[in-house]
Amino acid sequence: MNAAVLDAAGSGFASRNRALNEWVAEVARLTLPDRIHWCDGSQAEYDALLAQMQQEGTLLPLDTETHPGCWLHRSDPHDVARVEHLTFVCTENQAAAGPNNHWMAPAEAHARMDALFKGCMRGRTLYVVPYCMGPIDSPLARCGVEITDSPYVVANMRLMTRMGAAALVRIEEEGRKSDATFVKGLHSIGELDPERRFIMHFPEELSIKSYGSGYGGNALLGKKCHALRIASWQAQQEGWLAEHMLIVGIENPEGETHYIAAAFPSACGKTNLAMLIPPESYREKGWKVWTVGDDICWMRPGADGRLYAINPEAGYFGVAPGTGANSNANALASIQRDTIYTNVALTRDNQPWWEGLDGRVPATDWQGKPYDPANGPAAHPNSRFTVSARQCPSYSQRAEDAQGVPISAIVFGGRRASLVPLVFEARDWTHGVLIGAAMGSETTAAAAGAVGVMRRDPMAMKPFCGYNFADYFSHWLSFDQAGAKLPKIFHVNWFRKGDDGKFLWPGFGDNLRVLEWIIGRVKGEAGAVETPIGHLPAANHLDLDGIALSDEASAKLFGFDPAGWQAEFDSIGEYLDGYGRRMPQALKDEQRRIAAGLA
Ligand code: O2Y
Ligand code: MN
């Protein structure tokens, strides 16, 4: 280790948490950075990082008149999405990780990663990034520290989490009460070589090691790695739920707000639903929508038996393409200032651009080349904006509530072109857990790999559950206890297509019509038809005033096809059997009961 590191790790700034100091020193000895910087999360620090990246040419300022405080980062063209095939859960016992995860023995994973990390920060700064997932004063929140050599990651972590001095104080206070409880995340961009890239999780050690990617979920370790993979493990041990869900508050004209948590696979419209703008007729009546979170939800039972939820994040890492005035005006309004854009295109006058943004044309594509439609889309399909949640016009003040918001309904959903109706309701909690476990969806650009292929994605957690899905389903079932006042569970599908291949449901703001029915069911006021797959609304149970649905659309959105569902339940049965004897019997029984009802 060189003198500068010895000085910084040994006698420079250090926290009052010994475990943290020792870990930073140990990482410095391994990675050999030139400098160590402990992040305080201040505006001055953020501004200095941005200026440094501008000087290095890794961050380009955008038009300061139209987009003040906005920047463009272009990632390596081979580093543009999460890499599920390089993402591992490393538990002592392979069965604990389950068939839903890639597994490696912890000793082997550490050895491989430490070989990659050896000396990798020479010539670089090692940033120590303390962060809190959730409101700083919340008993539901959990802390972590990410060590990274990427200033881009530091800047994004400041937007996405409560990062800096306040988080460090909480880590120090918790450290006084017990052993180190913070999650340790070690990250280096390495050489950005896809052949030398791994994202390893060690749930038993509450730690993460990520090497070789600077992009999104691979590098911002507070997000998918901590808040979902590690947190889902912690949640199982501590009796709560860490879920891939948005949280939205729906305020009716009487001023009553119901909070809904909804799980959709990546890039299936969670951000749009979380920031929904009601149709004009609903706005006139006084309906309002409040955004608590757009991607991750931590829930636990409160003293009254209801589930209470927080959004562990403080910002949005949203998909840019498709974000427009019609699809998500709130997101668009949020990202006019103080936003980091990644892999979007540029207009001639240096404004960000992507497919689905009206009014302007791209001049430069996401790789910085002159735009030529022959080379594909101008913006990368997984290009992103990072912005503080507080900039969203529909931001809910309850997002800061330390106790969380009470959840009235849980909604599962997928991208299904056929079979699955617009909405249906589970008969009870066990049936709802089966609906979540059986969720299927057509894949999107949010992860590397083929797009448009149907895969089962239970509770939208396939890439994110830090342990065996069979145990995860058991954990979900365990919430159904005496005294529990659990939310009702629903399934939605905004993506049903007609024979002409076009979407049958208008989606976006009109999805509020479905949420109104859901809230009506929660309150015992809305009607439904009983079927073997659950309670379905008939078309006249929803407020469809102002939208014209064809006969085909009504039949497919509100109907159910027994033969098609029989085949679907056979496939669900096979899927559950894939988890062997660990799969809870209650879920298998539920599948068999419904399959028998369909036969
Ligand atoms: O790392 C990426 O490519 C983005 S993944 C992501 C980012 C924000 C919210 N959700 C997701 C996801 O894949 O679910
Ligand atoms: Mn997500």
Side-chain angles (χ1 to χ4, degrees):
M1 186 167 28
N2 64 36
V5 170
L6 264 182
D7 186 48
S11 59
F13 181 90
S15 79
R16 288 186 208 92
N17 183 311
R18 212 177 68 178
L20 174 55
N21 296 340
E22 284 174 2
W23 177 55
V24 172
E26 178 192 319
V27 170
R29 279 193 297 273
L30 176 67
T31 59
L32 301 178
D34 278 13
R35 289 164 298 278
I36 295 180
H37 177 89
W38 289 70
C39 295
D40 61 13
S42 63
Q43 184 66 41
E45 179 182 78
Y46 183 67
D47 292 341
L49 281 169
L50 298 180
Q52 176 195 324
M53 286 188 274
Q54 182 180 4
Q55 206 174 23
E56 291 164 358
T58 54
L59 213 52
L60 306 174
L62 299 180
D63 185 307
T64 50
E65 298 249 306
T66 59
H67 290 79
C70 291
W71 302 82
L72 170 65
H73 173 74
R74 292 194 182 110
S75 73
D76 183 280
H78 303 291
D79 185 29
V80 291
R82 289 185 291 101
V83 281
E84 290 175 20
H85 61 295
L86 302 174
T87 300
F88 287 73
V89 169
C90 309
T91 44
E92 285 298 340
N93 174 356
Q94 180 168 6
N100 46 302
N101 281 301
H102 299 296
W103 176 86
M104 198 180 289
E108 185 191 341
H110 279 305
R112 276 205 196 198
M113 295 308 276
D114 291 354
L116 292 171
F117 278 109
K118 198 167 178 200
C120 72
M121 295 191 190
R122 272 199 193 94
R124 299 181 185 171
T125 300
L126 177 160
Y127 298 94
V128 182
V129 186
Y131 62 86
C132 181
M133 300 310 294
I136 285 276
D137 57 345
S138 172
L140 284 79
R142 293 287 183 278
C143 288
V145 178
E146 175 165 356
I147 292 180
T148 179
D149 55 10
S150 162
Y152 166 81
V153 165
V154 179
N156 277 269
M157 285 292 283
R158 182 170 184 270
L159 295 172
M160 292 300 299
T161 71
R162 279 96 174 160
M163 184 274 256
L168 185 58
V169 168
R170 179 165 167 163
I171 289 167
E172 289 171 343
E173 276 168 9
E174 287 178 347
R176 271 196 286 279
K177 288 182 217 137
S178 62
D179 266 2
T181 52
F182 62 92
V183 171
K184 293 175 182 161
L186 173 54
H187 168 254
S188 170
I189 57 171
E191 309 81 33
L192 293 175
D193 176 357
E195 301 297 318
R196 286 165 57 82
R197 179 175 296 161
F198 283 112
I199 296 94
M200 302 277 191
H201 303 76
F202 305 89
E204 287 143 336
E205 304 166 18
L206 299 186
S207 80
I208 305 154
K209 289 184 177 174
S210 166
Y211 189 90
S213 166
Y215 198 85
N218 303 330
L220 311 178
L221 300 187
K223 195 173 179 56
K224 304 297 186 181
C225 299
H226 177 164
L228 288 176
R229 298 194 191 96
I230 299 289
S232 59
W233 175 283
Q234 276 183 301
Q236 188 216 23
Q237 304 214 319
E238 298 172 9
W240 48 283
L241 290 165
E243 299 302 324
H244 190 201
M245 291 179 175
L246 65 91
I247 309 167
V248 66
I250 309 293
E251 184 178 331
N252 67 17
E254 292 74 51
E256 179 185 88
T257 303
H258 283 271
Y259 293 91
I260 293 176
F264 306 149
S266 306
C268 283
K270 284 206 304 296
T271 304
N272 292 347
L273 189 66
M275 299 179 187
L276 180 150
I277 295 184
E280 200 177 330
S281 59
Y282 275 70
R283 283 203 301 275
E284 280 165 3
K285 283 187 239 160
W287 287 85
K288 295 189 181 111
V289 172
W290 300 107
T291 310
V292 179
D294 80 325
D295 195 42
I296 301 180
C297 162
W298 288 357
M299 286 183 281
R300 71 159 189 203
D304 60 359
R306 299 187 71 185
L307 286 185
Y308 284 79
I310 61 163
N311 171 14
E313 301 192 279
Y316 309 121
F317 187 65
V319 183
T323 304
N326 292 328
S327 63
N328 194 337
N330 278 329
L332 202 55
S334 311
I335 57 180
Q336 297 309 300
R337 65 176 176 89
D338 300 312
T339 301
I340 297 176
Y341 293 91
T342 303
N343 292 344
V344 298
L346 288 179
T347 62
R348 197 169 304 286
D349 49 359
N350 216 29
Q351 295 187 42
W353 192 92
W354 50 82
E355 281 70 17
L357 193 65
D358 313 319
R360 310 189 74 83
V361 287
T364 311
D365 71 13
W366 64 278
Q367 297 192 62
K369 298 180 188 145
Y371 173 57
D372 177 352
N375 295 338
H380 188 277
N382 194 34
S383 55
R384 298 275 171 168
F385 54 78
T386 321
V387 67
S388 162
R390 290 169 179 273
Q391 286 183 205
C392 182
S394 58
Y395 181 67
S396 167
Q397 284 310 317
R398 293 291 302 272
E400 301 298 331
D401 192 326
Q403 300 308 321
V405 294
I407 297 297
S408 299
I410 288 175
V411 178
F412 295 118
R415 187 179 278 271
R416 295 292 295 264
S418 58
L419 184 69
V420 181
L422 180 62
V423 57
F424 59 98
E425 177 195 335
R427 263 179 306 278
D428 55 26
W429 185 257
T430 303
H431 180 206
V433 174
L434 178 67
I435 289 173
M439 251 171 73
S441 193
E442 287 138 25
T443 50
T444 67
V451 169
V453 179
M454 149 72 189
R455 73 168 183 180
R456 297 244 168 250
D457 188 354
M459 292 160 179
M461 286 289 277
K462 164 84 183 70
F464 307 122
C465 185
Y467 63 105
N468 191 316
F469 258 151
D471 300 343
Y472 170 77
F473 301 143
S474 296
H475 182 52
W476 263 82
L477 292 171
S478 74
F479 285 81
D480 193 4
Q481 292 178 2
K485 296 199 183 75
L486 295 169
K488 275 180 175 282
I489 298 180
F490 299 81
H491 188 283
V492 299
N493 176 24
W494 315 134
F495 301 98
R496 185 79 188 259
K497 288 184 177 168
D499 293 336
D500 60 1
K502 293 198 177 133
F503 291 119
L504 294 173
W505 177 248
F508 302 109
D510 287 308
N511 293 338
L512 182 56
R513 300 171 191 276
V514 175
L515 300 185
E516 181 188 16
W517 180 79
I518 286 175
I519 293 167
R521 292 296 296 168
V522 168
K523 293 167 73 174
E525 292 169 359
V529 179
E530 222 177 300
T531 78
I533 62 161
H535 305 301
L536 264 71
N540 66 357
H541 290 135
L542 259 70
D543 178 352
L544 296 176
D545 266 7
I547 55 172
L549 294 179
S550 65
D551 289 347
E552 184 203 7
S554 286
K556 288 186 167 151
L557 293 169
F558 301 107
F560 111 100
D561 158 18
W565 276 101
Q566 222 175 318
E568 175 78 358
F569 265 79
D570 288 347
S571 141
I572 293 169
E574 280 166 27
Y575 178 74
L576 299 183
D577 285 345
Y579 288 84
R581 293 170 51 174
R582 245 172 142 110
M583 182 56 67
Q585 191 59 42
L587 224 49
K588 292 203 269 191
D589 291 347
E590 187 70 10
Q591 180 273 336
R592 284 189 195 130
R593 202 178 54 73
I594 296 172
L598 285 161

